[in-house]
């Protein structure tokens, strides 16, 4: 393995932006497989998938990776096997990022300010139409929910959302209320509904 190549060794070392791009790549591959293409076509798609994944986590452009040996790309992707493991979500009340500690309200579901709630809900709906399968909206939802002991306006929180694309993926996943071993994602838009409809089918991450 090239020592100059960046490679995460755990989900904690993966940023939300990287995890979102990885999720989109996985969804693209799954959609391709679901269309029942031929084995040869699948092989080509799988090779492109590995190239995409290697570029996402190493930061090296795909054009440069094309010059790498096949064994190198395969070995790199194999080092990311931790991404395929199921992960139990953890309850968090705060997190640290760039030297600052951000709190999450204890009664988030009921006490989140209505304006912040609208911003958080809209971010996911917009994301679905502009960037399918992206999880970056979690940065926006988080930025419009956290408490840092001072009042922020929407513009300041939008700026914070840009910074939060670089938070550890684990923080974003825990915040997004993954409530099952399959990493089921509940958006803030569904929280009140879920409280009343405990047994109903919920949206899930592909």
């Amino acid at each position: 393995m090239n020592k100059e190549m960046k490679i995460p060794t755990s989900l904690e070392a993966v940023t939300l932006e990287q995890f979102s791009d990885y999720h989109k790549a996985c969804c693209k591959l799954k959609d391709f497989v679901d269309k029942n293409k031929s084995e040869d076509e699948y092989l080509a798609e799988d090779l492109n998938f590995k190239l995409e994944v290697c570029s996402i986590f190493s930061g090296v452009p795909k054009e440069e990776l094309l010059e790498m040996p096949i064994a190198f790309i395969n070995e790199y992707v194999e080092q990311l096997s931790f991404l395929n493991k199921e992960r139990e979500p953890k309850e968090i009340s705060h997190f640290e990022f760039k030297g600052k500690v951000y709190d999450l309200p204890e009664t988030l579901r009921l006490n989140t300010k209505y304006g912040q709630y609208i911003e958080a809900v809209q971010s996911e709906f917009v994301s679905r139409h502009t960037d399918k399968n992206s999880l970056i909206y979690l940065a926006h939802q988080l930025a419009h929910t956290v408490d840092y002991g001072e009042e922020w306006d929407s513009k300041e929180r939008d700026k914070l959302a840009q910074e939060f694309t670089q938070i550890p993926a684990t923080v974003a996943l825990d915040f997004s209320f993954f409530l099952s071993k399959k990493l089921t994602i509940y958006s803030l838009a569904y929280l009140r509904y879920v409280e009343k409809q405990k047994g109903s089918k919920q949206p899930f991450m592909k």
Side-chain angles (χ1 to χ4, degrees):
M1 183 68 64
N2 189 329
K3 293 183 179 180
E4 297 181 359
M5 292 275 285
K6 296 183 296 183
I7 180 168
T9 57
S10 67
L11 194 57
E12 287 78 10
V14 173
T15 68
L16 172 58
E17 183 176 36
Q18 289 175 320
F19 189 78
S20 178
D21 288 341
Y22 172 70
H23 179 242
K24 289 194 293 183
C26 289
C27 289
K28 180 181 178 182
L29 181 63
K30 181 180 181 300
D31 288 343
F32 186 90
V33 172
D34 289 344
K35 293 178 181 179
N36 297 316
K37 297 292 183 178
S38 69
E39 185 173 337
D40 289 340
E41 289 177 306
Y42 171 75
L43 176 59
E45 191 67 20
D46 183 58
L47 291 174
N48 286 326
F49 170 75
K50 290 180 179 178
L51 182 68
E52 179 74 21
V53 170
C54 189
S55 180
I56 289 171
F57 293 106
S58 69
V60 177
K62 288 187 285 186
E63 293 75 15
E64 294 183 25
L65 291 175
L66 289 173
E67 302 301 319
M68 298 286 187
I70 295 175
F72 176 86
I73 302 297
N74 288 335
E75 180 185 352
Y76 187 97
V77 174
E78 288 176 2
Q79 295 287 328
L80 301 171
S81 60
F82 64 86
L83 292 168
N84 300 322
K85 296 180 180 179
E86 293 184 353
R87 175 180 177 273
E88 290 285 352
K90 299 178 181 178
E91 292 187 11
I92 58 172
S93 59
H94 64 276
F95 64 93
E96 184 175 348
F97 179 62
K98 291 185 176 180
K100 295 182 179 180
V101 177
Y102 297 91
D103 293 321
L104 294 173
E106 293 182 8
T107 52
L108 176 62
R109 299 182 180 185
L110 299 178
N111 290 354
T112 300
K113 290 184 178 180
Y114 204 74
Q116 295 172 355
Y117 180 77
I118 291 176
E119 289 281 355
V121 170
Q122 288 179 335
S123 66
E124 181 175 357
F125 293 157
V126 170
S127 177
R128 287 180 181 177
H129 293 288
T130 59
D131 195 2
K132 183 180 179 182
N133 296 319
S134 172
L135 301 178
I136 288 298
Y137 67 84
L138 290 174
H140 196 89
Q141 289 183 336
L142 189 55
H144 282 270
T145 302
V146 295
D147 180 14
Y148 188 54
E150 58 187 72
E151 289 295 326
W152 291 325
D153 59 27
S154 292
K155 289 184 178 179
E156 290 174 315
R157 287 185 180 273
D158 285 343
K159 182 179 179 180
L160 186 62
Q162 291 297 319
E163 296 181 23
F164 277 178
T165 62
Q166 300 306 306
I167 63 173
T170 48
V171 172
L173 297 181
D174 289 337
F175 165 73
S176 67
F177 304 103
F178 279 67
L179 301 179
S180 78
K181 292 182 179 180
K182 297 298 183 182
L183 299 184
T184 302
I185 292 181
Y186 288 80
S187 72
L188 291 179
Y190 285 93
L191 288 180
R192 292 180 181 273
Y193 177 77
V194 171
E195 287 298 308
K196 297 179 180 179
Q197 305 290 332
K198 290 291 186 180
S200 61
K201 184 178 180 181
Q202 304 298 339
F204 60 91
M205 183 176 74
K206 296 179 180 178

